[in-house]
């Protein structure tokens, strides 16, 4: 499963690949977009019509081996179907009648808690946010798209749960026993099997990987006492919305998550009646009309379903985001105020602090120095501890320094162990900087940052056979300062697909997160890891995404009348931009100050999001006007919106005119950018708000009007903000800068981040 192929960040990197035909069969999977109104009355169902369309292909009867077949017929999320076709058959469909709008290759996407409830202020069991709030949430259904679920986990106990909402239309596939907590479990694997043939996998909703169980319990897991990973992070575990229902949609398998399966899952989830969709997976930055997740999410949001997606784990590289559609909540990752310290002391007396989740026996005597080696074969592969790269004659009985990168962090420890090593120091390189991510290694191992790693590497080189080290482990430490810190792996802006829309939207807890785990797999995901644990600690935007999904479920329960965009706005405009030392948020890459391309509007604050005062609301028509501003042709617009005749009469003059809770200002062709926004009062009546703007020295900002008085709840008022380059000034050397627009009253602060870009910056 995906957990067994941990790459750079050991928890499933995000990237986009095209599926290639196998040598044995030329059939490939395609998603066919049909005109939603084209079905002749002679066909009883769309499935019958689509089947007839395939049978009419001139190439369909040339070989039974290559006969086209329908994998899915979509009805809620997409007007069309997925089918196995030869490239020739796909080309014939493309050139057929006007009923076929488009034929697209299937794409494969990759999968991108005890302390987090307290860290977020969700600290009173059974009371929602805090005493007095009394948010039940049992009528809210969270759909989790992942590797399935482990129903036996205590996190999915239905003790004390009321009956399942009558509106629920979902079911449980074979192999899973549902209850009043886990109310649905379904598998969508036709795209996977069409691409991979008879590849061995589990096609029930059961989670043999662990990732899906982890994300589902993070979003809405029940309270579980005495939870821990091998003694680390012990306490009571719970999801963000512990009373919400869970529906698991298994769409991810060994080689990834196929677009045709994801779309079929979203199609079903909409019909089932979910309220929140949580997708800890994604691909590259593709146009919205070719992005399966964006297409499915559009229909979900249109139906009132909140959609939360991970931003990706390709940071700190700029413009590395996934899931950038404005109707999606794009979530980055930050740290908790909890750590798992571990220590390496070298023979020259220097002590280095790192992290580790190692829980086995020590190397020898507790404080006995052990030989230290680095680069046993004098090449890069041995420095990286790639499989087969270490010289057992030099490694046996020693601690090995391994550079981070290329292969999984936990795999490096396995390589050291197989070569006879007794311990490992995992040293960051420039790519990962000072970020520390803990792992449950199979041997004593300490992960250290780049600066410490450079010193240790130099010591090992210069001291040779006399180099030694002692490794020790400090358990669990709370109230770490500073926190939160933006994770170095969290993908960054700017949003190259639509630069006028700032992404990510927010960050949430995503580093060293404890949540439920499948008993089918060890905590490292390695084949030789036979340990079993009910909980595991993982890191990634895969972990931060379900935190926001669960918080959205709480907001939905407290404010059932709010739209998905109102919930998103509440989470964004109330987010904070300081750590627990009251200093600006910092970046784990190098300790420098973070910015909205890394943390979006900031770190979510559930308490304030419950009462944001004002929200930036959006409707389906607003998103259509946005798409029209992108110069998409009618067929592309139909692909995303499923609507037949879009005239674009209400096209936005600029994509940045979308009523979004943040601003992205592009200078270069113009020195003045003017945007209009509309605020809706969801707070108190008879409230006065005043505007305050913050911008770099070379940019002037005017907000008109500068005061807004709301007499009634639900009242809407517009304002215009003008951003202008000051005459005689030059853009900053970095070609980018940041600011904010704030509306404040006696009770509320409604803050929107602003990014400024000058010409090309990448």
């Amino acid at each position: 499963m995906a957990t067994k192929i941990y790459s750079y960040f050991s928890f499933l990197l995000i990237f986009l690949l095209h599926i290639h035909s196998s040598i044995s069969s030329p059939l490939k999977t395609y998603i066919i977009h049909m005109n939603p109104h084209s079905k002749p009355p002679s066909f009883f169902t769309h499935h019958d019509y689509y089947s007839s369309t395939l049978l009419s292909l001139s190439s369909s009867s040339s070989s039974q081996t290559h006969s086209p077949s329908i994998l899915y017929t979509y009805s809620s999320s997409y007007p069309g179907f997925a089918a196995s076709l030869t490239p020739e058959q796909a080309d014939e469909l493309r050139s057929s009648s006007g009923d076929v709008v488009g034929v697209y290759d299937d794409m494969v996407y990759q999968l991108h808690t005890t302390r987090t409830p307290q860290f977020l202020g969700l600290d009173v069991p059974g009371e929602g946010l805090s005493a007095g709030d009394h948010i039940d949430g049992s009528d809210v259904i969270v759909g989790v798209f992942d590797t399935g679920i482990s129903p036996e986990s205590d996190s999915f106990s239905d003790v004390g749960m009321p009956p399942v909402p009558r509106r629920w239309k979902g079911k449980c596939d074979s192999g899973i026993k549902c209850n009043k907590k886990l109310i649905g479990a379904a598998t969508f694997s036709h795209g996977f099997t069409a691409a991979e043939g008879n590849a061995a996998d589990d096609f029930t909703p059961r989670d043999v990987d662990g990732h899906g169980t982890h994300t589902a319990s993070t979003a809405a897991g029940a309270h579980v006492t005495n939870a821990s990973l091998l003694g680390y992070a012990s306490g009571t575990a719970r999801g963000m919305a512990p009373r919400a229902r869970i529906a698991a949609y298994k769409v991810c398998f060994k080689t990834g998550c196929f677009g045709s399966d994801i779309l079929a899952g979203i199609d079903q989830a909409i019909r089932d009646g979910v309220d929140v969709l949580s997708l800890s997976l994604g691909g590259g930055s593709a146009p919205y009309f070719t992005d399966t997740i964006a297409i499915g999410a559009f229909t979900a949001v249109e139906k009132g379903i909140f959609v939360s997606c991970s931003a990706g784990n390709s940071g700190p590289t700029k413009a590395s985001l996934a899931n950038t559609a404005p109707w999606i909540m794009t979530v980055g990752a930050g740290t908790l105020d909890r750590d798992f310290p571990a220590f390496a002391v070298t023979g020259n007396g220097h002590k280095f602090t790192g992290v580790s989740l190692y829980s086995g026996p020590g190397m020898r005597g507790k404080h006995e120095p052990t030989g230290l080696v680095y680069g046993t074969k004098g090449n890069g592969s041995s420095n990286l501890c790639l499989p087969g790269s270490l010289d057992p004659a030099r490694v046996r009985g020693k601690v090995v320094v391994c550079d981070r990168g290329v292969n999984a962090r936990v795999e490096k420890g396995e390589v050291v162990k197989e070569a006879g090593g007794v311990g490992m120091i995992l040293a960051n390189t420039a790519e990962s900087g000072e970020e520390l991510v803990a792992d449950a290694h199979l041997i004593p191992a300490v992960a250290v940052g780049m600066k410490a790693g450079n010193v240790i590497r130099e010591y090992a080189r210069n001291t040779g056979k006399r180099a030694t080290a002692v490794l020790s482990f400090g358990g669990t430490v709370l109230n770490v300062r500073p926190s939160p810190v933006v994770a170095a792996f969290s993908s960054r802006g700017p949003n190259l697909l639509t630069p006028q829309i700032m992404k990510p939207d927010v960050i949430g807890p995503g580093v060293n997160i404890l949540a439920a785990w499948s008993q089918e797999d060890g905590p490292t995901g390695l084949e030789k890891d036979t340990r079993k644990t009910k909980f595991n600690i993982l890191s990634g935007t895969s972990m931060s995404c379900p935190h926001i999904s669960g918080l959205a479920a709480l907001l939905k329960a407290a404010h059932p009348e709010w739209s998905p965009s109102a919930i998103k706005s509440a989470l964004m405009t109330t987010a904070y931009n300081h750590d627990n030392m009251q200093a600006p948020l910092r970046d784990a890459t190098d300790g420098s100050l973070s910015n909205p391309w890394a943390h979006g509007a900031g770190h979510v604050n559930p308490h304030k999001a419950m009462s944001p005062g004002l929200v930036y609301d959006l409707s389906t028509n607003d998103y259509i006007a946005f798409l029209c501003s992108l110069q998409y042709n009618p067929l592309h617009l139909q692909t995303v919106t499923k609507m037949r005749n879009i005239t674009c009469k209400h096209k936005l003059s600029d994509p940045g005119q979308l009523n979004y809770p943040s601003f992205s200002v592009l200078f270069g062709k113009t020195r003045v950018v003017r945007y209009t926004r509309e605020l809706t009062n969801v707070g108190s009546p008879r409230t006065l708000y005043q505007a305050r703007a913050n911008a770099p020295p070379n940019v002037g900002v005017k907000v008109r009007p500068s005061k807004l008085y709301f007499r009634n709840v639900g009242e809407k008022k517009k304002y215009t903000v003008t951003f202008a380059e000051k005459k005689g000034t030059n853009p900053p050397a970095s070609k980018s800068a940041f600011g904010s627009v704030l509306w404040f009253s006696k009770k509320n602060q409604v803050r929107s981040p602003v990014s400024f870009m000058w010409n090309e910056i990448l």
Side-chain angles (χ1 to χ4, degrees):
M1 294 305 296
T3 331
K4 296 179 180 177
I5 51 171
Y6 285 132
S7 52
Y8 177 64
F9 301 110
S10 89
F11 55 83
L12 312 158
L13 270 171
I14 296 176
F15 55 90
L16 181 63
L17 298 172
H18 282 85
I19 303 168
H20 294 281
S21 302
S22 65
I23 296 175
S24 60
S25 172
L27 289 173
K28 294 175 58 178
T29 301
Y30 296 88
I31 298 176
I32 297 89
H33 177 205
M34 300 290 288
N35 185 326
H37 307 283
S38 63
K39 181 180 73 68
S42 57
F43 291 98
F44 185 68
T45 67
H46 279 89
H47 184 85
D48 295 335
Y49 172 47
Y50 300 153
S51 297
S52 176
T53 300
L54 290 187
L55 290 174
S56 68
L57 296 175
S58 61
S59 55
S60 65
S61 59
S62 60
S63 170
Q64 291 197 3
T65 304
H66 301 154
S67 177
S69 61
I70 291 180
L71 303 180
Y72 296 107
T73 296
Y74 305 118
S75 59
S76 299
S77 63
Y78 192 80
F81 61 101
S84 290
L85 307 169
T86 65
E88 293 77 18
Q89 291 164 349
D91 288 341
E92 187 176 348
L93 268 181
R94 289 189 180 98
S95 59
S96 62
S97 69
D99 294 346
V100 178
V101 177
V103 179
Y104 307 103
D105 286 9
D106 196 4
M107 293 185 290
V108 60
Y109 301 82
Q110 295 295 329
L111 290 161
H112 273 194
T113 54
T114 54
R115 184 65 180 174
T116 47
Q118 292 91 333
F119 186 66
L120 292 170
L122 313 177
D123 51 6
V124 181
E127 298 293 343
L129 292 181
S130 63
D133 286 328
H134 301 289
I135 298 171
D136 183 279
S138 61
D139 194 49
V140 179
I141 302 165
V142 180
V144 180
F145 282 62
D146 216 295
T147 62
I149 199 159
S150 299
E152 300 84 5
S153 171
D154 293 340
S155 294
F156 309 125
S157 168
D158 66 350
V159 174
M161 292 291 291
V164 176
R166 296 183 66 180
R167 61 187 172 84
W168 174 246
K169 296 181 177 62
K171 62 182 180 64
C172 270
D173 287 354
S174 61
I176 295 290
K177 183 179 180 181
C178 285
N179 56 25
K180 291 183 289 186
K181 176 67 174 179
L182 175 60
I183 64 174
T187 302
F188 299 88
S189 59
H190 296 335
F192 171 80
T193 54
E196 301 298 327
N198 295 320
D201 217 306
D202 190 324
F203 296 115
T204 73
R206 183 167 294 279
D207 184 11
V208 297
D209 175 272
H211 194 273
T213 299
H214 198 281
T215 56
S217 63
T218 299
H223 291 84
V224 181
T225 58
N226 300 316
S228 74
L229 166 62
L230 306 173
Y232 285 98
S234 60
T236 297
R238 54 159 285 195
M240 300 302 99
R243 298 276 290 172
R245 319 289 179 150
I246 296 172
Y249 297 87
K250 185 173 181 177
V251 296
C252 297
F253 303 90
K254 281 184 176 181
T255 54
C257 321
F258 287 74
S260 55
D261 295 332
I262 295 170
L263 195 56
I266 295 176
D267 203 64
Q268 184 63 51
I270 293 171
R271 294 197 301 271
D272 288 346
V274 302
D275 300 294
V276 175
L277 286 181
S278 186
L279 296 94
S280 291
L281 49 92
S285 185
Y288 302 130
F289 58 85
T290 66
D291 185 342
T292 303
I293 295 175
I295 292 168
F298 186 96
T299 302
V301 170
E302 183 182 18
K303 303 290 186 183
I305 301 169
F306 181 91
V307 182
S308 173
C309 295
S310 47
N313 302 327
S314 299
T317 303
K318 287 183 179 179
S320 53
L321 293 163
N323 299 315
T324 59
W327 46 90
I328 289 173
M329 185 76 160
T330 310
V331 185
T335 65
L336 291 176
D337 61 345
R338 178 182 65 195
D339 212 347
F340 308 104
F343 310 97
V345 179
T346 51
N348 57 2
H350 292 175
K351 184 176 183 179
F352 304 91
T353 300
V355 297
S356 183
L357 295 171
Y358 176 71
S359 62
M363 293 181 297
R364 292 177 184 171
K366 188 173 182 181
H367 300 291
E368 183 179 346
T370 304
L372 180 72
V373 296
Y374 174 62
T376 64
K377 289 185 178 179
N379 58 53
S381 62
S382 63
N383 293 353
L384 287 163
C385 299
L386 301 180
S389 67
L390 298 180
D391 181 357
R394 292 194 59 195
V395 167
R396 190 173 296 111
K398 294 184 173 63
V399 174
V400 181
V401 181
C402 297
D403 290 346
R404 181 172 165 180
V406 182
N407 60 333
R409 300 186 301 268
V410 290
E411 184 185 49
K412 295 176 188 291
E414 184 179 42
V415 170
V416 171
K417 184 178 181 180
E418 289 181 348
V422 297
M424 175 178 70
I425 297 176
L426 180 62
N428 283 3
T429 61
E431 190 171 9
S432 47
E434 299 306 313
E435 175 186 59
L436 297 178
V437 179
D439 297 296
H441 293 281
L442 293 172
I443 63 171
V446 177
V448 299
M450 180 188 68
K451 294 177 182 177
N454 288 341
V455 175
I456 294 171
R457 282 183 279 253
E458 189 67 19
Y459 164 75
R461 287 194 194 100
N462 293 339
T463 311
K465 295 181 179 181
R466 293 179 290 108
T468 62
V470 175
L471 307 184
S472 59
F473 306 92
T476 304
V477 174
L478 302 179
N479 300 313
V480 172
R481 295 173 180 267
S483 62
V485 175
V486 180
F489 61 73
S490 190
S491 289
R492 313 300 170 94
N495 173 4
L496 293 188
L497 187 59
T498 316
Q500 299 88 345
I501 302 295
M502 187 195 297
K503 291 283 185 171
D505 293 313
V506 293
I507 61 170
V511 178
N512 298 332
I513 304 302
L514 182 97
W517 192 245
S518 169
Q519 295 293 287
E520 304 286 336
D521 213 353
T524 62
L526 296 172
E527 292 284 353
K528 294 184 178 180
D529 188 356
T530 60
R531 297 172 295 177
K532 300 300 178 186
T533 177
K534 293 183 177 180
F535 288 83
N536 199 6
I537 293 174
L538 298 180
S539 298
T541 56
S542 278
M543 284 62 251
S544 55
C545 169
H547 279 89
I548 274 59
S549 305
L551 296 180
L554 287 180
L555 289 175
K556 182 75 173 178
H559 304 285
E561 76 282 3
W562 282 9
S563 68
S565 60
I567 294 174
K568 177 196 284 190
S569 176
L571 289 166
M572 289 178 65
T573 62
T574 60
Y576 58 85
N577 290 269
H578 57 272
D579 57 33
N580 55 6
M581 298 178 70
Q582 299 305 308
L585 291 177
R586 292 194 173 271
D587 193 322
T589 307
D590 55 9
S592 63
L593 292 179
S594 179
N595 63 58
W597 284 349
H599 62 243
H603 193 285
V604 289
N605 186 330
H607 277 284
K608 290 188 176 181
M610 283 289 166
S611 302
L614 305 173
V615 295
Y616 294 86
D617 210 354
L618 284 163
S619 68
T620 301
N621 288 335
D622 295 318
Y623 290 127
I624 292 174
F626 162 80
L627 290 168
C628 286
S629 73
L630 302 182
Q631 308 303 321
Y632 285 180
N633 67 42
L635 296 183
H636 293 158
L637 292 172
Q638 283 186 29
T639 300
V640 180
T641 67
K642 298 82 179 172
M643 298 179 185
R644 184 176 186 180
N645 296 316
I646 299 177
T647 61
C648 286
K649 288 182 179 180
H650 302 291
K651 170 182 173 181
L652 298 179
S653 60
D654 179 310
Q657 290 288 5
L658 185 68
N659 197 42
Y660 212 69
S662 59
F663 296 87
S664 181
V665 179
L666 310 182
F667 290 126
K669 293 182 179 179
T670 179
R671 297 178 65 92
V672 178
V673 176
R674 186 174 290 108
Y675 287 139
T676 297
R677 295 286 195 266
E678 181 181 75
L679 288 162
T680 302
N681 182 27
V682 295
S684 303
R686 298 180 297 279
T687 302
L688 176 67
Y689 283 85
Q690 299 182 65
R692 181 186 303 152
N694 176 46
N698 64 320
V699 177
V701 182
K702 290 184 179 180
V703 181
R704 295 289 183 270
S706 60
K707 296 181 180 181
L708 295 174
Y709 183 72
F710 293 88
R711 290 180 173 81
N712 303 304
V713 176
E715 186 176 359
K716 299 177 181 291
K717 286 189 177 293
K718 292 184 178 181
Y719 72 92
T720 298
V721 57
T722 302
F723 305 98
E725 286 188 275
K726 294 180 180 178
K727 293 182 179 180
T729 63
N730 296 315
S734 63
K735 300 294 185 181
S736 63
F738 303 91
S740 62
V741 172
L742 175 72
W743 287 96
F744 64 95
S745 67
K746 291 182 178 180
K747 182 181 178 181
N748 293 98
Q749 292 192 352
V750 184
R751 183 182 179 278
S752 294
V754 184
S755 67
F756 301 93
M757 286 188 282
W758 283 265
N759 299 317
E760 294 293 328
I761 63 168
L762 297 177

